[in-house]
Amino acid sequence: MAEKHTAHATGEPMEPVSAVARHGSCGATVVTLWGEIDVLTAPALSERLDTVTRASHLDLVLDLRPVAFIDCAGLGVLCRARNRVLSRQGRLRLVAGDAAFLRVLHVTGLRDVFDVHPELPRPAPAPEAPDVFPGP
């Protein structure tokens, strides 16, 4: 069992960062993160993301909306995941809408490095089927 630590914002005990991977309806692998990504939780998260990012041509979406806090160690984990995905000809998108997180990305110069979206990508519309029975 993972050891609990204190939440930065409230001082309340909190579970370390957790991650759940699934295949999204958009065709991407979606990993939802929640909790706090900091110097205490970054090594375990990095190990989990290393497992996910082993595949070639991976379309990875990291959903950060439930993340309560992220520090520079957490940003390092995100950068590592991005580098691993890109080196394998894949794509990484972040889903984040928290103004504080977006400000951190801007201040650190990472806003233009990551492809950031406010919500999960939607599935692409199905192509229209050709008319196989021409009219009279």
Side-chain angles (χ1 to χ4, degrees), residues 14-22 29-38 41-42 44-50 52-53 60-70 73-79 81-82 92-97 101 114 120:
M14 182 172 193
E15 292 291 334
V17 70
S18 297
V20 173
R22 61 185 164 77
T29 299
V30 178
V31 177
T32 301
L33 305 174
W34 65 90
E36 296 190 353
I37 306 173
D38 58 21
T41 61
L45 178 59
S46 185
E47 189 174 307
R48 288 180 190 158
L49 291 178
D50 281 357
V52 172
T53 59
L60 179 61
V61 176
L62 296 179
D63 186 357
L64 303 171
R65 293 174 298 176
V67 171
F69 176 84
I70 188 165
L75 293 176
V77 170
L78 298 180
C79 288
R82 177 188 174 275
L92 174 69
R93 292 173 277 177
L94 302 181
V95 177
F101 176 71
F114 287 103
L120 290 173

